[in-house]
Amino acid sequence: MSEQGIRRLTEQEIDESIKLSSFAFQFSLTPEVWEQRRKMLKPEHVWGYFMDGKLAAKAAVHPMRIWLNGRSIPMGGIAGVATWPEYR
């Protein structure tokens, strides 16, 4: 059965995530910068939507905190939302 649904990325899926970002946001990376990005990216902060076992879309959710009514509340900062054209 092929995998479908939303889950956090694994370390092995980081390259596919970077590839999707570079396509969606129209940038290219040198091999050195690609490797820096790989080391910087935390797979546990990136959620992916998978169809037939392939990464179709992704979004990073960075753990942050805000102050609300004098209390520190956990929140997620959304970044890097991207979808391959065939899954839009």
Side-chain angles (χ1 to χ4, degrees):
M1 182 189 241
S2 58
E3 177 190 7
Q4 225 163 290
I6 299 171
R7 65 169 172 76
R8 287 185 172 126
L9 297 188
T10 65
E11 187 72 36
Q12 295 75 28
E13 294 161 334
I14 292 300
D15 284 329
E16 188 62 27
S17 173
I18 296 170
K19 194 183 307 180
L20 174 51
S21 287
S22 67
F23 176 83
F25 300 111
Q26 297 295 291
F27 63 83
S28 57
L29 301 172
T30 64
E32 295 80 18
V33 175
W34 187 288
E35 195 53 40
Q36 288 174 350
R37 182 84 43 113
R38 271 188 118 266
K39 290 176 183 174
M40 190 178 79
L41 216 156
K42 296 182 178 172
E44 64 271 17
H45 293 169
V46 183
W47 289 81
Y49 178 70
F50 291 82
M51 291 192 66
D52 299 323
K54 182 182 184 321
L55 180 64
K58 68 166 196 96
V61 183
H62 300 288
M64 300 177 159
R65 299 191 75 78
I66 61 168
W67 285 91
L68 184 63
N69 294 326
R71 295 186 317 152
S72 178
I73 308 277
M75 64 158 280
I78 306 295
V81 178
T83 305
W84 288 109
E86 60 268 30
Y87 296 108
R88 292 183 188 151

